[in-house]
Amino acid sequence: MNTRRASQCLRPPTQINDHAACRKPCKRRRGPPTLSQGLEPCARKRPWSSAVPAPAATEEESVDYFDGLPDDIVVSVLSELSSSADRPSDLISALLTCKRFHVLGHRPLVLSKAGASCIAVRAKSWCDSAHRFLKRCVDCGNLEASYVLGMIRFYALENRGSGAALMARAAIGSHAAALYSLAIVQFNGSGGSKTDKDLRAGVALCARAAFLGHVDALREIGHCLQDGYGVRRNVTEGRRFLIQANARELAAAISSWPAWQEQRRQATAAAGITSPGCCPLLSDYGWSLPAPEPHPANQFLAEWFGARAGTAGEGLRLCSHRGCGRPETRRHEFRRCSVCGLVNYCSRACQALDWKLSHKSKCNPTDGWAAVEGGAATH
């Protein structure tokens, strides 16, 4: 005869069935069970249970599409970034994003396409790691890095042979700025003695840079033709080169028209002029265009020697054009102003630019300036 306890008779039927579905009887206790108790949870839903299992991820959510991208696509994106970056930190920040970016970002294709702004190292940030980064770009075939590192080694680090070799490497690849810099080295005999000047080689290099559209080289070859410096004198042809240089300069200024207009407005307001007056076409004949943005290599040199009291050594002077930064490699290498004798320039192009930008309003005759120990006169 089946007999049941009174407590079993009083238990609700649903509660009995729920517990019957469990493989093991659940111990009744207050509060939710813990994992340390080693108990299997009951199939019955308990309102006080806080351990809710997370929903299983779908197959679409678990797929990582970035890992599925081919390396060629990622390298192409990083190459485009390195060529269009405004500053070195743009590329460095991308390489620090993940390990894959760091590995693929050091591919030769990415470093070979780095633009001038991407490798624009500042003088205050110069260190061994910056030197290694530029050297690695050079090894990958980056002509811009070859020119920048060549200028730094030749003028700042005073490693003349290595710097000239790097600039020559960029010049062989038709880098216009490197060709023009080597022309200045030949004109001045930089890194050697006064007898090491080679005017014809300087004119040839300058003509090649002018053919590639370098504005300073166009201006330099124009003045050489007008003065008969290193080449047979031809005033008409020299004037034509000067017109081309100023036309290119004007085109570059018009391309940044809003900034140019704002600069002109501020300049006229500071001078108390209500109307700017007439606007001749060419800067060499009266129209003051905004100063061109210096190349990162020249900007590095200006900052490097500016932090050293504006001198490259005892008795050595810097080019007075503030956008140049080139120092003398020997005493009296640069030419002085023939009127005041207070400024000196590494080239005729720098003299022409500085004359229209600032020196024209400051140049005054100085008695006895020739008695000062100095180099040749210019103007």
Side-chain angles (χ1 to χ4, degrees), residues 17-53:
N17 295 336
D18 287 344
H19 282 277
C22 298
R23 295 182 180 179
K24 294 183 179 180
C26 295
K27 294 184 179 180
R28 295 187 178 276
R29 54 169 293 150
R30 297 180 181 179
T34 60
L35 294 178
S36 60
Q37 296 172 355
L39 299 178
E40 290 183 304
C42 179
R44 181 181 57 187
K45 295 183 179 179
R46 300 181 182 180
W48 41 262
S49 176
S50 60
V52 180

Coordinates of all heavy atoms in Angstrom, one line a residue, residues 17-53:
N17 N 6.5 18.4 -10.1 CA 6.9 18.0 -11.4 C 8.2 18.7 -11.8 O 9.0 18.1 -12.5 CB 5.8 18.4 -12.4 CG 4.5 17.6 -12.2 OD1 4.6 16.5 -11.6 ND2 3.3 18.1 -12.6
D18 N 8.4 19.9 -11.4 CA 9.6 20.6 -11.8 C 10.8 19.9 -11.1 O 11.8 19.8 -11.8 CB 9.6 22.1 -11.3 CG 8.6 22.9 -12.2 OD1 8.3 22.4 -13.3 OD2 8.2 24.0 -11.8
H19 N 10.7 19.5 -9.9 CA 11.8 18.9 -9.3 C 12.0 17.5 -9.8 O 13.1 16.9 -9.7 CB 11.6 18.8 -7.7 CG 11.9 20.2 -7.1 ND1 13.1 20.5 -6.8 CD2 11.0 21.2 -6.8 CE1 13.1 21.8 -6.2 NE2 11.8 22.2 -6.2
A20 N 11.0 16.9 -10.3 CA 11.1 15.5 -10.8 C 11.9 15.6 -12.1 O 12.5 14.6 -12.5 CB 9.7 14.9 -11.0
A21 N 11.9 16.7 -12.8 CA 12.6 16.8 -14.1 C 14.1 17.0 -13.9 O 14.9 16.8 -14.8 CB 12.1 18.0 -14.9
C22 N 14.5 17.3 -12.7 CA 15.9 17.5 -12.4 C 16.6 16.2 -12.2 O 16.0 15.3 -11.6 CB 16.1 18.4 -11.1 SG 15.4 20.0 -11.3
R23 N 17.8 16.0 -12.6 CA 18.5 14.8 -12.4 C 18.9 14.6 -11.0 O 19.0 13.5 -10.5 CB 19.8 14.8 -13.3 CG 19.4 14.7 -14.8 CD 20.7 14.7 -15.6 NE 20.4 14.6 -17.1 CZ 21.3 14.6 -18.0 NH1 22.6 14.5 -17.7 NH2 21.0 14.6 -19.3
K24 N 19.3 15.7 -10.3 CA 19.6 15.6 -8.9 C 18.7 16.5 -8.2 O 18.3 17.6 -8.6 CB 21.1 16.1 -8.8 CG 22.1 15.2 -9.4 CD 23.5 15.6 -9.1 CE 24.5 14.7 -9.7 NZ 25.9 15.1 -9.5
P25 N 18.4 16.1 -6.9 CA 17.5 17.0 -6.1 C 18.3 18.3 -5.8 O 19.5 18.3 -5.5 CB 17.2 16.1 -4.9 CG 18.4 15.2 -4.8 CD 18.8 14.9 -6.2
C26 N 17.5 19.4 -5.8 CA 18.1 20.7 -5.4 C 17.9 20.9 -4.0 O 16.9 20.7 -3.4 CB 17.4 21.8 -6.2 SG 17.6 21.7 -7.9
K27 N 19.0 21.3 -3.4 CA 18.9 21.7 -1.9 C 18.3 23.0 -1.8 O 18.7 24.0 -2.5 CB 20.3 21.7 -1.3 CG 21.0 20.3 -1.3 CD 22.3 20.4 -0.6 CE 23.0 19.0 -0.5 NZ 24.3 19.1 0.1
R28 N 17.4 23.1 -0.9 CA 16.7 24.4 -0.7 C 17.5 25.2 0.3 O 17.9 24.7 1.3 CB 15.3 24.1 -0.1 CG 14.4 23.4 -1.1 CD 13.0 23.3 -0.6 NE 12.1 22.7 -1.5 CZ 11.5 23.3 -2.5 NH1 11.7 24.6 -2.7 NH2 10.7 22.7 -3.4
R29 N 17.8 26.4 -0.1 CA 18.5 27.3 0.7 C 18.2 28.7 0.3 O 17.7 28.9 -0.8 CB 20.0 27.1 0.6 CG 20.6 27.1 -0.8 CD 22.1 27.2 -0.8 NE 22.5 28.4 -0.3 CZ 23.7 28.6 0.4 NH1 24.5 27.6 0.6 NH2 24.0 29.8 0.8
R30 N 18.5 29.6 1.1 CA 18.2 31.0 0.8 C 19.3 31.6 0.0 O 20.5 31.3 0.2 CB 18.1 31.8 2.1 CG 16.9 31.3 3.0 CD 16.8 32.2 4.2 NE 15.8 31.7 5.1 CZ 15.5 32.3 6.3 NH1 16.2 33.3 6.7 NH2 14.5 31.8 7.0
G31 N 18.9 32.4 -1.0 CA 19.8 33.0 -1.9 C 20.2 32.2 -3.1 O 20.0 31.0 -3.1
P32 N 20.8 32.8 -4.1 CA 21.2 32.0 -5.3 C 22.4 31.1 -5.0 O 23.2 31.4 -4.2 CB 21.6 33.2 -6.3 CG 22.0 34.3 -5.4 CD 21.2 34.2 -4.1
P33 N 22.5 30.0 -5.7 CA 23.6 29.1 -5.6 C 24.9 29.7 -6.1 O 24.8 30.6 -7.0 CB 23.2 27.9 -6.4 CG 22.2 28.4 -7.4 CD 21.5 29.5 -6.8
T34 N 26.0 29.3 -5.6 CA 27.3 29.8 -6.1 C 28.0 28.6 -6.8 O 27.7 27.4 -6.6 CB 28.1 30.3 -5.0 OG1 28.3 29.3 -4.0 CG2 27.4 31.5 -4.3
L35 N 29.0 28.9 -7.6 CA 29.8 27.9 -8.3 C 30.6 27.1 -7.3 O 31.0 25.9 -7.6 CB 30.7 28.6 -9.3 CG 29.9 29.2 -10.5 CD1 30.9 29.9 -11.4 CD2 29.1 28.3 -11.2
S36 N 31.0 27.7 -6.2 CA 31.8 26.9 -5.3 C 31.1 25.8 -4.6 O 31.7 24.9 -4.0 CB 32.4 27.9 -4.2 OG 31.3 28.5 -3.5
Q37 N 29.8 25.8 -4.7 CA 29.0 24.8 -4.0 C 28.9 23.5 -4.9 O 28.5 22.5 -4.4 CB 27.6 25.3 -3.7 CG 27.6 26.5 -2.7 CD 26.2 27.1 -2.6 OE1 25.3 26.7 -3.3 NE2 26.1 28.1 -1.7
G38 N 29.3 23.6 -6.1 CA 29.3 22.4 -7.0 C 27.9 21.9 -7.3 O 27.8 20.7 -7.4
L39 N 26.9 22.7 -7.3 CA 25.5 22.2 -7.5 C 25.1 22.5 -8.9 O 25.4 23.6 -9.5 CB 24.5 22.9 -6.5 CG 24.8 22.7 -5.0 CD1 23.8 23.5 -4.2 CD2 24.8 21.2 -4.7
E40 N 24.3 21.6 -9.5 CA 23.8 21.9 -10.8 C 22.5 22.7 -10.7 O 21.6 22.3 -9.8 CB 23.5 20.5 -11.5 CG 24.7 19.8 -11.9 CD 24.4 18.5 -12.7 OE1 23.6 17.7 -12.1 OE2 24.9 18.4 -13.8
P41 N 22.3 23.7 -11.5 CA 21.1 24.5 -11.3 C 19.9 23.7 -11.7 O 19.9 22.8 -12.6 CB 21.4 25.7 -12.3 CG 22.3 25.1 -13.3 CD 23.1 24.1 -12.6
C42 N 18.8 24.1 -11.2 CA 17.5 23.5 -11.5 C 17.0 24.0 -12.8 O 17.3 25.2 -13.1 CB 16.5 23.7 -10.3 SG 14.9 23.0 -10.6
A43 N 16.2 23.2 -13.5 CA 15.7 23.7 -14.8 C 14.6 24.7 -14.6 O 14.2 25.4 -15.5 CB 15.1 22.5 -15.5
R44 N 14.1 24.9 -13.3 CA 13.1 25.9 -13.1 C 13.6 27.3 -13.1 O 14.7 27.5 -12.6 CB 12.4 25.6 -11.7 CG 11.3 26.5 -11.3 CD 10.8 26.2 -10.0 NE 11.9 26.2 -9.0 CZ 11.7 25.9 -7.7 NH1 10.6 25.4 -7.3 NH2 12.8 25.9 -6.9
K45 N 13.0 28.2 -13.7 CA 13.4 29.6 -13.8 C 13.2 30.2 -12.4 O 12.1 30.2 -11.8 CB 12.5 30.4 -14.8 CG 12.8 29.9 -16.2 CD 12.0 30.7 -17.2 CE 12.3 30.3 -18.6 NZ 11.5 31.1 -19.6
R46 N 14.2 30.8 -11.9 CA 14.1 31.4 -10.6 C 14.3 32.9 -10.8 O 15.2 33.4 -11.4 CB 15.3 30.9 -9.7 CG 15.1 29.4 -9.5 CD 16.2 28.9 -8.6 NE 16.2 27.5 -8.4 CZ 17.0 26.8 -7.7 NH1 18.0 27.4 -7.1 NH2 16.8 25.5 -7.6
P47 N 13.4 33.7 -10.3 CA 13.5 35.2 -10.5 C 14.7 35.8 -9.9 O 15.1 36.9 -10.3 CB 12.2 35.7 -9.9 CG 11.8 34.6 -8.9 CD 12.3 33.3 -9.5
W48 N 15.3 35.2 -8.9 CA 16.5 35.8 -8.2 C 17.8 35.5 -8.8 O 18.8 35.9 -8.4 CB 16.5 35.4 -6.7 CG 16.2 34.0 -6.5 CD1 15.0 33.5 -6.1 CD2 17.1 32.9 -6.6 NE1 15.0 32.1 -6.0 CE2 16.3 31.7 -6.3 CE3 18.4 32.7 -6.9 CZ2 16.9 30.4 -6.3 CZ3 18.9 31.5 -6.9 CH2 18.2 30.4 -6.6
S49 N 17.8 34.7 -9.9 CA 19.1 34.3 -10.5 C 19.6 35.4 -11.3 O 18.9 36.0 -12.1 CB 18.8 33.0 -11.4 OG 20.0 32.7 -12.0
S50 N 20.9 35.8 -11.0 CA 21.6 36.9 -11.8 C 22.5 36.4 -12.8 O 23.1 37.1 -13.6 CB 22.4 37.8 -10.8 OG 23.3 37.0 -10.1
A51 N 22.9 35.1 -12.8 CA 23.8 34.5 -13.8 C 23.1 34.2 -15.1 O 22.6 33.0 -15.3 CB 24.5 33.3 -13.2
V52 N 22.9 35.1 -16.0 CA 22.2 34.9 -17.2 C 23.2 34.7 -18.3 O 24.1 35.5 -18.5 CB 21.3 36.2 -17.6 CG1 20.6 36.0 -18.9 CG2 20.4 36.5 -16.5
P53 N 23.2 33.6 -19.0 CA 24.2 33.3 -20.0 C 24.1 34.3 -21.2 O 23.0 34.7 -21.6 CB 23.9 31.9 -20.5 CG 22.4 31.7 -20.1 CD 22.2 32.5 -18.9

